[in-house]
Amino acid sequence: MSTTPTQQEAEPEEQYDSALVTARRQLERAATHVDVDEGVIERLKHPTKVQQVSVPLERDDGEVEVFTGYRAQHDDVRGPYKGGLRYHPEVTAEECTGLSMWMTWKCAVMDLPFGGGKGGIAIDPKSLSADETERLTRRFAEEIRDVVGPTKDVPAPDMGTDAQTMAWFMDAYSMQQGETIPGVVTGKPPVIGGSYGREEAPGRSTAIAAREAIQYEGHEVSETTVAVQGFGSVGANAARLLEDWGATVVAVSDVNGALYDPDGLATHEIPTHDEEAEAVLEQDAPQTISNEDVLELDVDVLIPAAVGNVITADNADAIEADIVVEGANGPTTFAADTILEERDVTVIPDILANAGGVTVSYFEWLQDINRRQWTLEEVNEELEDKMLSAWADVRDEVEAKELTWRDAAYVVALSRIAEAKATRGLWP
Ligand code: NAD
């Protein structure tokens, strides 16, 4: 019997998993490769605490609205919880929990003395004036002050928040405590205890991961072509560094589309999202192509550095790159990952590639605690060391157990967390 396609049938086949489903699945997958007590795995499937608070805000016109804020704290066996605060209409307790688990793996793979946290407020930040954002942030800091602090939980900027938001948060917390406590958040402006190099760090670590992957596959960076989706903090910094190191960056894109030049683009001349939002297509290039086409270019290295779920079951077969370096969080769906693995495409996972952000946050926290600011050179040298060390740890698992880079990264993370849990034991 023939049927007319229904609306439902016309929808894409692949349903994207929530951050929580993904985080739990990765835990279970990693557990099959590591000898870990079942009880430890069971404990890691659940967050330690998810704080939900009401955040009243007096609008500029005097009206009062109440928003919901969250702070999910997944695991602190290796140190204080660490992770972003996002202002976005779709922030939920479940999303924060999943993302906090993700942060636990990211901190552990980098061997940072932190566990995973994530939080935020369900609100559209574009609907707020600067004064409203400040009042909202100060009130949120008051509502969650009992669960944060330099030795408890250290938030950072995320979607919809920035260095200024962290400055207000730090100020409100310090006022409440009666002393200046810069280490309560990271991602602050350097003038109040922020770290040089924090903004560029996730892009720098993505470029380092790309460089190491290129060399691991037996090639030279100077003979490599690269395509980058997203020209923001992560994508632009990664593209510019790889160009500086000799790579030919043939395509970069923003939300409107991509510039393409097979002979290589001058990436320093293209404004980043921060310098001039969505201005990529205003620059000269022999060709412009769509964001979808960027992903399917015949290049050596593809860096998705914009949003999640862009490499899916629908286009994974069309990816021509030999190496995919995940600059964005979660750009490859589970189904696409399986296809890329079957096709022998090397995928360097987000928890390793873009971990420069949380790594320099750790450096910022150290600088705050010690009241000593590092130079940009010191920060970049330490980041290079941390990345090379994490890279070597993951590579050893890839080789010893014949795992994908993603599975190997999770194995490194889980082994560290499980060992710490086993050593500390279960109270009571
Ligand atoms: P950003 O806002 O600085 O830049 C995002 C860029 O992507 C912009 O050029 C924008 O035009 C483009 N873009 C947006 N939607 C797009 C779409 N649908 N298709 C193509 N391009 C699109 O963001 P960012 O800080 O560079 O973050 C990018 C990704 O990296 C996100 O997944 C983020 O979670 C992840 N990440 C960021 C950090 C950080 O500290 N900035 C750290 C780790 C991971």
Side-chain angles (χ1 to χ4, degrees), residues 10-23:
E11 300 226 333
E13 284 168 24
E14 195 181 353
Q15 294 293 313
Y16 306 139
D17 292 323
S18 70
L20 185 57
V21 169
T22 304

Side-chain angles (χ1 to χ4, degrees), residues 10 23 55 185 264 320 348 410:
V55 190
V185 285
E320 298 271 346
I348 308 302
Y410 280 90

Side-chain angles (χ1 to χ4, degrees), residues 326-342:
E326 295 187 328
N329 284 324
T332 314
T333 66
F334 183 74
D337 217 21
T338 312
I339 296 169
L340 294 179
E341 184 182 350
E342 282 162 8

